[in-house]
Amino acid sequence: MSEDRTIEHDNVGAYVADALDDREREEFESHMASCEVCEREVRDFAETFAELTFATQLTPPADLRESVLSAIAKVRPLPPLPVEQADVAPADAGRPVVVGSAHPRRALEVVPEADDEDGGLEQPAAVTRLDEVRARRLRRVLSFAVAAAMVIAVALGVSVVNLNQDAKRQQQVAGAQADVLAAPDAKVYPVRMQDGSQASYVVSKSLNRALFVGANVAGLPADEVYQLWTTADSSTYRSAGTFAGTGTQQILIDGNVADTRALAITVEPSNGGRGSTAPTKTATQPFAAVTVPA
Amino acid sequence: MHDNVISMNFRAAGDAEGVTATSDVREHDEQSAATVHSIRTEATEKDEARQRDAAELAGLLEASARGQEEAFAALYDKTKARVYGLVVRVLRSPDHAAEVTQEVYVEVWRQSARYDRSKGSALAWMTTMAHRRAIDRVRSVSSETARDERYASKEGGREVDEVWEKVEQGFESQRVREGLAALTAIQREALTLAYFGGLTQTQVASKLQVPLGTVKTRMRDGLIALRGALGVET
């Protein structure tokens, strides 16, 4: 016991220098949770390395400031942690979002995320290689998704139809979302939000409905909302509703789903504008874009 | 003080030889006293400035947690060179470094409410986050092999020395430089390869061809020496 303790304690320097592998790090962290000496030393050494950055200072490119500030404007700080919790583990590439836990009886087919590498979509979309056929199919349709996403961006700069169905949609969600999840042709499309967090669409063409499901949706400033979009021909974009909340979100997309070829989200001003006026902050790229088969 | 020394020299030149010797000794003593005094003043001033800066950064980070973008902008301005410089040093690619630096700041903003000033400085909180993310990037990038080879090659040793030399030169204070120079070669190498090179302790051990246990203890000893040299107390 005391020997283990000594061995773990030896790792304190390597831990602070991020020189442990994953297994060693986990072991050390579980040791540190009950070792005040190690915890104290980790804090001290973190301060030491922070002081060392005095010597390596370098002014970043001037345009980074603007880039950082506009990036954070789209993200709301997380609330304080009530309990110690796994922090920002980098998103697990390719792991599908678990949805429909209320309906464990039916396993939904999960369509792997589109491969970003030859698409160049701004939002990183990790790929899950299920099998080659699927991967090939994805690549084929990807160019459509990219084109669709770009056209959405252009369309936003001009004008779009304003379909304010929020109130109605709210009332329908409870019953309709269960229908979507239970639909025989429902498919799940995992996507990434603008901050890299995972979300997905559950699409039922037969019901002409889809569900947007986000487990950890980032907050937006009070004057902005997320807006969902569908398109049948990649030139006309139809609002599929807006939502604002943070955390877990299940948003019903009612209609315009049967013929849609793509789904995407943008951040829009919430003051009734929704694209009908020239976008201000809405120079943002569409994200969570996905192509769905016709 | 300076005037004082000159007048002493002047006086000494006019005196008999024996007296000159005595005068030299006295001069030396006074200079030492002056040096000690100025070091002490410098140290105190630095500590005070450091505490002021630390409190300011902590305040800005806490304001960021309440969604104040202006506070975050000020936090960015005050820490950008620290964060970016560290990331560049680890990644060795300005383009990737800018990207990672942006990711770091978005993460700092997102997690700002989780910063607890009773557990350390805001700067340490941020640089820890920056370092971890830079290291993650280094380890995930495929050109890792090329990096490793560079560190492993014969030039590896020279590279370690260069990195360390630059770090030493980055400090104006002679006292800090001397403190850093006092680290043993293996402490220096182990820390540099790990912290700036992104190698795991196991990789460091095989590069330096020393037992893993030695690397562990040298890293820890090295950090204790560093802590002493930089005069960090938490």
Side-chain angles (χ1 to χ4, degrees):
Chain A
M1 175 65 199
S2 67
E3 198 184 333
D4 283 354
R5 200 166 174 279
T6 313
I7 289 167
E8 278 305 330
H9 198 101
D10 284 348
N11 280 338
V12 69
Y15 174 76
V16 184
D18 291 320
L20 297 180
D21 62 33
D22 293 345
R23 187 184 50 82
E24 291 167 332
R25 185 168 54 239
E26 279 167 27
E27 283 170 6
F28 180 80
E29 281 175 350
S30 76
H31 158 75
M32 184 172 63
S34 60
C35 176
E36 276 180 31
V37 179
C38 278
E39 205 205 346
R40 169 83 198 179
E41 212 159 78
V42 164
R43 280 187 208 174
D44 265 15
F45 290 161
E47 299 293 338
T48 302
F49 274 135
E51 281 300 313
L52 203 59
T53 62
F54 178 84
T56 53
Q57 289 181 87
L58 194 62
T59 305
D63 56 1
L64 185 62
R65 186 180 199 272
E66 185 53 39
S67 177
V68 165
L69 295 183
S70 70
I72 64 120
K74 295 178 207 123
V75 179
R76 181 174 294 170
L78 297 168
L81 272 187
V83 214
E84 200 86 86
Q85 182 185 311
D87 59 0
V88 275
D92 254 335
R95 183 188 293 171
V97 175
V98 179
V99 288
S101 54
H103 301 266
R105 66 184 189 279
R106 225 185 127 264
L108 292 165
E109 184 187 348
V110 175
V111 180
E113 284 181 71
D115 191 338
D116 181 46
E117 73 195 24
D118 49 8
L121 267 181
E122 195 175 5
Q123 287 309 311
V127 70
T128 311
R129 296 177 202 283
L130 288 188
D131 58 54
E132 283 194 9
V133 177
R134 273 190 171 172
R136 266 203 302 277
R137 190 184 67 200
L138 268 170
R139 290 224 171 70
R140 238 183 5 253
V141 297
L142 186 68
S143 56
F144 182 84
V146 175
M150 283 173 162
V151 178
I152 288 175
V154 173
L156 285 170
V158 193
S159 71
V160 290
V161 185
N162 177 10
L163 298 175
N164 185 0
Q165 298 178 334
D166 269 7
K168 196 171 110 198
R169 189 168 298 106
Q170 287 292 335
Q171 293 156 10
Q172 290 173 335
V173 163
Q177 73 179 14
D179 294 345
V180 174
L181 289 167
D185 67 334
K187 287 194 175 63
V188 180
Y189 297 88
V191 290
R192 300 290 169 138
M193 297 296 281
Q194 83 280 32
D195 64 347
S197 68
Q198 293 176 318
S200 56
Y201 302 101
V202 183
V203 178
S204 168
K205 293 242 166 186
S206 70
L207 290 179
N208 193 22
R209 280 173 175 161
L211 207 56
F212 166 80
V213 185
N216 190 20
V217 175
L220 289 175
D223 57 348
E224 290 180 351
V225 290
Y226 292 105
Q227 185 159 15
L228 291 151
W229 302 90
T230 66
T231 181
D233 56 9
S234 79
S235 64
T236 314
Y237 290 86
R238 307 170 301 206
S239 171
T242 62
F243 62 101
T246 60
T248 304
Q249 294 287 320
Q250 294 208 357
I251 309 297
L252 182 72
I253 300 170
D254 193 10
N256 284 337
V257 171
D259 63 349
T260 197
R261 297 293 310 279
L263 292 156
I265 301 177
T266 59
V267 173
E268 297 295 320
S270 61
N271 52 352
R274 288 181 198 154
S276 61
T277 56
T280 48
K281 213 162 192 172
T282 320
T284 61
Q285 292 288 317
F287 49 87
V290 69
T291 302
V292 295
Chain B
M1 191 63 230
H2 198 219
D3 283 346
N4 212 356
V5 173
I6 290 176
S7 70
M8 269 179 61
N9 279 342
F10 184 74
R11 192 159 21 91
D15 283 344
E17 279 183 14
V19 181
T20 306
T22 320
S23 179
D24 277 350
V25 170
R26 200 189 315 138
E27 179 188 343
H28 180 73
D29 283 350
E30 292 209 13
Q31 272 182 316
S32 299
T35 311
V36 169
H37 175 74
S38 81
I39 285 176
R40 199 167 287 151
T41 312
E42 186 193 343
T44 315
E45 278 170 4
K46 279 224 166 113
D47 281 352
E48 281 168 2
R50 190 141 68 189
Q51 280 166 17
R52 257 199 320 277
D53 289 351
E56 188 184 7
L57 291 185
L60 290 172
L61 190 49
E62 285 158 359
S64 301
R66 298 189 293 271
Q68 292 177 19
E69 291 177 25
E70 303 77 16
F72 186 80
L75 181 69
Y76 174 84
D77 291 336
K78 287 182 183 300
T79 56
K80 62 183 179 184
R82 298 280 200 133
V83 171
Y84 179 71
L86 172 61
V87 174
V88 167
R89 188 65 76 192
V90 173
L91 290 181
R92 288 146 186 261
S93 151
D95 287 345
H96 284 153
E99 198 183 315
V100 168
T101 302
Q102 169 153 348
E103 288 172 15
V104 168
Y105 275 103
V106 172
E107 214 43 55
V108 165
W109 167 256
R110 260 167 65 85
Q111 305 235 11
S112 46
R114 286 153 198 207
Y115 167 68
D116 176 354
R117 69 160 85 192
S118 73
K119 291 188 174 170
S121 71
L123 186 65
W125 190 77
M126 293 172 69
T127 53
T128 298
M129 208 181 270
H131 187 257
R132 204 157 287 174
R133 199 162 268 245
I135 293 287
D136 282 349
R137 175 65 72 99
V138 164
R139 295 206 181 131
S140 69
V141 165
S142 54
S143 65
E144 187 185 355
T145 12
R147 267 179 74 92
D148 278 359
E149 278 163 13
R150 202 173 45 199
Y151 269 105
S153 66
K154 290 293 173 206
E155 289 95 75
R158 201 163 69 212
E159 187 147 0
V160 167
D161 290 344
E162 272 172 26
V163 170
W164 193 259
E165 224 167 82
K166 286 205 179 116
V167 168
E168 278 182 25
Q169 287 163 2
F171 288 98
E172 285 154 21
S173 156
Q174 188 61 30
R175 188 177 57 96
V176 171
R177 286 189 192 200
E178 282 167 9
L180 294 181
L183 268 71
T184 67
I186 194 163
Q187 288 173 345
R188 207 162 49 220
E189 281 170 336
L191 283 176
T192 306
L193 287 169
Y195 191 72
F196 294 115
L199 302 194
T200 64
Q201 59 176 358
T202 310
Q203 290 170 320
V204 171
S206 83
K207 300 281 182 258
L208 297 181
Q209 303 197 322
V210 294
L212 180 58
T214 308
V215 170
K216 287 176 201 264
T217 49
R218 291 306 175 268
M219 268 203 247
R220 180 158 173 263
D221 295 347
L223 271 163
I224 291 169
L226 258 186
R227 182 177 59 188
L230 300 175
V232 186
E233 297 294 335
T234 54

